[in-house]
């Protein structure tokens, strides 16, 4: 399970426009995000999300880990960086634990990626 792509996040300016665009392009279905900001995305494969006020952003890919704290520690040991705050910090704690926990990171060359620990791990 560790290291498998687990979740993707699209940053866009307008989540409603993204829902129309990506829904028509890929046939994805969208549900309002638990915090009421953006959407969760259902695909035939890896689930995703879309958030606004992030025009021109590159997609974030989150890799599954069994122990988020241990993975964060290893990223730092390998020369990478980890954002100071958890991804989804603005959401209610109950909605975060319903899905799991996320952290945004950069590798030792500055490339962005995310770590994800499922709620049941």
């Amino acid at each position: 399970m560790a290291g498998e792509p687990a979740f993707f996040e699209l940053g866009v300016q307008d989540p409603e426009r993204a829902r129309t665009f990506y829904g028509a392009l890929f046939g994805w279905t969208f549900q309002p995000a638990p915090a009421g900001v953006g959407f969760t995305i259902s695909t035939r494969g890896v689930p995703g999300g879309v958030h606004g006020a992030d025009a021109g952003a590159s997609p974030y890919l989150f890799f599954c880990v069994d122990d988020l704290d241990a993975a964060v520690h290893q990223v730092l040991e390998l020369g990478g960086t980890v954002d100071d705050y958890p991804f989804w910090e603005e959401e209610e704690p109950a909605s975060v634990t319903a899905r799991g926990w996320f952290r945004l990171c950069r590798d030792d060359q500055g490339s962005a990626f995310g770590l994800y620990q499922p709620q049941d791990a």
Side-chain angles (χ1 to χ4, degrees):
M1 174 159 134
E4 295 296 320
F7 188 82
F8 68 92
E9 180 76 16
L10 301 174
V12 298
Q13 184 60 40
D14 181 345
E16 286 289 341
R17 281 182 56 190
R19 179 172 74 163
T20 300
F21 180 88
Y22 289 105
L25 181 64
F26 296 128
W28 293 345
T29 57
F30 294 75
Q31 297 295 322
V37 179
F39 298 96
T40 61
I41 303 170
S42 297
T43 74
R44 286 185 227 148
V46 176
V50 62
H51 65 270
D54 200 2
S58 297
Y60 297 108
L61 180 59
F62 291 84
F63 297 98
C64 192
V65 296
D66 296 323
D67 182 335
L68 185 60
D69 291 334
V72 163
H73 181 74
Q74 190 168 15
V75 166
L76 297 171
E77 281 189 343
L78 293 168
T81 60
V82 179
D83 283 2
D84 291 336
Y85 57 90
F87 197 70
W88 303 107
E89 181 181 69
E90 69 279 2
E91 291 189 18
E92 295 295 320
S95 66
V96 174
T97 58
R99 287 190 311 268
W101 297 269
F102 300 81
R103 291 298 293 260
L104 289 176
C105 304
R106 291 191 180 271
D107 66 16
D108 62 344
Q109 299 180 68
S111 296
F113 68 96
L115 299 174
Y116 166 70
Q117 179 183 326
Q119 189 260 350
D120 58 356

